[in-house]
Amino acid sequence: MKTVLITGASQGLGKALSESFSERGYFVYACGFSKEAPLFGEGKSLRLDVSDETAVRETLNSIDRLDVLINNARFTPTKPVEPISESEWWDRNLDISLKGTYLCCVAALEKMKHQENGGCIINVSSIRGIIPNDWDRIPYGAAKAGQISLTRSFALAGGAFNVRVNAFLPGAIGTENLLTRISPERHAEICQQIPLHRIGTIEEMCHAIHFLVENRYMTGACLNCSGGLLLDY
C-alpha cells in the first residue's frame, strides 16, 4: 500500500486531499497543528508543528516508507482581526509556509532517496507567490514565493534519486471556510476577476494534485490552477 503524508490536513484542501488519497487506496498520515485531522480510510492522524525541526524529523523517521509528501500547512493568508505585530505576522507566515516546507522537504528527501522508487513531494504554494499582493497579504505572498524557489531547488537535489518535487499554485478555492466567510456580493466580485468567472472547486484542486503525483516525468514544475488568474503575469 502506498503512503502519503499531508500537512494542514484538519480542514480545507488538506482535509479533502486526505479523503481523496484514501479513496485511491493510500495509507494517509493526516497531520494537523491545533487539532487532530480526520481520517477517511486506512491511516493515522498526527499532531505536527511543521516549524519544529525535531518534531518533523521524529515524525518522518517514525514512518517506514513515504511515497508522497504534500506540504499544505499554512498560516491565514490575510492579517487577523485580533492585534498582532508586524514582526509576529511575518514570522508566523514564514515559520509555517516557508520554514515548515523546507524542514519537511529535507526530512522527506533524506528518506525517499534511499527508497527503490524514490518519491514525490508537492508544495502547495499559491498564485499569491507570483502576483503583487495587497498590504495585508504581503507576508503570505512572500512565503508562497519562497515555496516556489524551494520547489525548484529540491527538484534539482532530488532528481538523481528519482524524487520528484513540484509546486501547486491554486487561486480561489471553494472551501467551506471561504464560502461561509464571504458575502454573496464578495463572491460575485471574486468571480468577475477570474477569466473563467467562477471559483475553483476543491475536487478540481485534488485532481490537479493527483496529476502531479502520477506524472513521473514532471519535476521542478509549478502547476497553476487558478481559472486563468495568471494570464497577465
Side-chain angles (χ1 to χ4, degrees), residues 27 64 82 89 132 151 163 229:
F27 186 98
D64 290 333
E82 65 267 17
W89 173 228
T151 296
V163 177
L229 274 173

Short mmCIF file of all heavy atoms in Angstrom, two decimals, residues 27 64 82 89 132 151 163 229:
data_model
loop_
_atom_site.label_atom_id
_atom_site.label_comp_id
_atom_site.label_asym_id
_atom_site.label_seq_id
_atom_site.Cartn_x
_atom_site.Cartn_y
_atom_site.Cartn_z
N PHE A 27 -2.45 4.75 2.27
CA PHE A 27 -2.42 4.88 3.72
C PHE A 27 -2.06 6.33 3.99
O PHE A 27 -0.99 6.79 3.58
CB PHE A 27 -1.39 3.94 4.33
CG PHE A 27 -1.41 3.90 5.85
CD1 PHE A 27 -2.09 2.89 6.51
CD2 PHE A 27 -0.76 4.87 6.60
CE1 PHE A 27 -2.12 2.85 7.90
CE2 PHE A 27 -0.79 4.85 7.97
CZ PHE A 27 -1.47 3.83 8.63
N ASP A 64 7.86 4.05 8.05
CA ASP A 64 8.75 3.10 7.37
C ASP A 64 9.01 3.52 5.93
O ASP A 64 10.14 3.49 5.46
CB ASP A 64 8.15 1.70 7.41
CG ASP A 64 8.16 1.10 8.80
OD1 ASP A 64 9.03 1.49 9.59
OD2 ASP A 64 7.30 0.25 9.10
N GLU A 82 -7.58 40.24 15.30
CA GLU A 82 -7.01 40.46 16.63
C GLU A 82 -5.63 41.12 16.50
O GLU A 82 -4.93 40.92 15.50
CB GLU A 82 -6.91 39.16 17.41
CG GLU A 82 -5.96 38.12 16.84
CD GLU A 82 -6.66 37.15 15.92
OE1 GLU A 82 -7.79 37.45 15.47
OE2 GLU A 82 -6.08 36.09 15.62
N TRP A 89 3.33 38.72 12.64
CA TRP A 89 2.58 38.38 11.43
C TRP A 89 3.52 37.80 10.38
O TRP A 89 3.21 36.79 9.73
CB TRP A 89 1.88 39.65 10.94
CG TRP A 89 1.17 39.62 9.62
CD1 TRP A 89 1.29 40.54 8.63
CD2 TRP A 89 0.23 38.66 9.16
NE1 TRP A 89 0.47 40.20 7.57
CE2 TRP A 89 -0.20 39.05 7.88
CE3 TRP A 89 -0.30 37.49 9.70
CZ2 TRP A 89 -1.11 38.34 7.12
CZ3 TRP A 89 -1.22 36.77 8.95
CH2 TRP A 89 -1.62 37.20 7.68
N PRO A 132 1.59 40.58 -7.37
CA PRO A 132 1.72 41.54 -6.26
C PRO A 132 0.53 41.38 -5.31
O PRO A 132 -0.58 41.06 -5.73
CB PRO A 132 1.68 42.90 -6.96
CG PRO A 132 1.99 42.62 -8.39
CD PRO A 132 1.47 41.26 -8.68
N THR A 151 10.91 24.65 -4.24
CA THR A 151 10.49 23.55 -5.12
C THR A 151 11.52 23.28 -6.20
O THR A 151 11.92 22.13 -6.43
CB THR A 151 9.14 23.89 -5.77
OG1 THR A 151 8.13 23.98 -4.74
CG2 THR A 151 8.74 22.83 -6.78
N VAL A 163 13.42 11.42 -6.95
CA VAL A 163 12.48 12.13 -6.07
C VAL A 163 12.02 13.37 -6.83
O VAL A 163 12.82 14.27 -7.12
CB VAL A 163 13.13 12.53 -4.73
CG1 VAL A 163 12.15 13.34 -3.89
CG2 VAL A 163 13.59 11.29 -3.97
N LEU A 229 -6.18 33.25 -13.69
CA LEU A 229 -5.80 34.49 -13.00
C LEU A 229 -4.36 34.93 -13.28
O LEU A 229 -4.02 36.08 -13.06
CB LEU A 229 -5.99 34.32 -11.48
CG LEU A 229 -7.38 34.63 -10.96
CD1 LEU A 229 -7.50 34.26 -9.49
CD2 LEU A 229 -7.73 36.11 -11.14
#
